[in-house]
Every structure is written in structure tokens, then in C-alpha cells.
Amino acid sequence: MAAEKNNQIVGQSKYDLDAKWDACLDLTVRRFVYSSLAGTFGGLLFFRSPVSRLASVAFGAGVGIGSAYTECSRLFDGSPAKLAAPKITESPAPQAGQD
């Protein structure tokens, strides 16, 4: 009975991992394509030089892959590490005449 339950858990985690990879791959392809298309449209709309247009497409593709990477990282490892804001301590300002 315990061996059956253990096999079910291993089987479920394998399928869960496969589902995560499928979702991650799907998300990456979609965001890459949509961001590249947005960069292409923005490049055609705002820039005249082919180099600037290509840079706009590359920027869009990079944004898409970066956002997909962040989302996949959250999917596999839980929430991503966030940058903590520096703690500011309020100390009284020195006043003139005090040494």
C-alpha cells in the first residue's frame, strides 16, 4: 500500500514537471513572438533607418524572453527574489551649537 502511494506521488510529480515545462515553453514562444511583432510595428512606425528598426525588433524580443524567463522562474521555484528597498532610519538632524 505504501509503495503504491509512493509510486503515485512520483508519477504525479513527473507529470506536474512535464506540465510546467509545456506551460513554460508555450509562454516563452508566445511572448517572444508577440513582443517581436510589437517591436516590428513600433520600428516601422517610429524609425526610418533599417538598423533602428532591427534594434527595435531585438529589444522587443529581449523583453519577451526576459518576461517569459521571469514567469517560468516563478513557476518552477516559487516567487522570484525581489530587490528589497533600503531601510531608512530617521535620526535627528544635528543642530547648530551642539557639539
Side-chain angles (χ1 to χ4, degrees):
M1 177 90 173
E4 257 180 51
K5 190 173 185 178
N6 192 17
N7 286 338
Q8 286 178 345
I9 291 172
V10 170
Q12 287 175 354
S13 66
K14 178 185 173 198
Y15 293 130
D16 187 40
L17 185 63
D18 289 344
K20 286 180 183 180
W21 274 108
D22 287 343
C24 186
L25 185 63
D26 179 55
L27 182 73
T28 302
V29 169
R30 277 192 288 132
R31 288 196 180 175
F32 175 77
V33 169
Y34 293 154
S35 296
S36 295
L37 289 174
T40 302
F41 179 71
L44 288 173
L45 189 64
F46 295 119
F47 302 118
R48 297 180 112 183
S49 167
V51 174
S52 297
R53 289 178 177 174
L54 183 62
S56 175
V57 173
F59 179 75
V63 167
I65 288 177
S67 67
Y69 175 79
T70 302
E71 189 70 23
C72 288
S73 174
R74 186 195 61 77
L75 183 66
F76 280 106
D77 299 329
S79 62
K82 299 194 184 214
L83 297 175
K87 294 184 179 183
I88 300 173
T89 58
E90 292 186 26
S91 59
Q95 295 188 9
Q98 289 183 348
D99 290 71

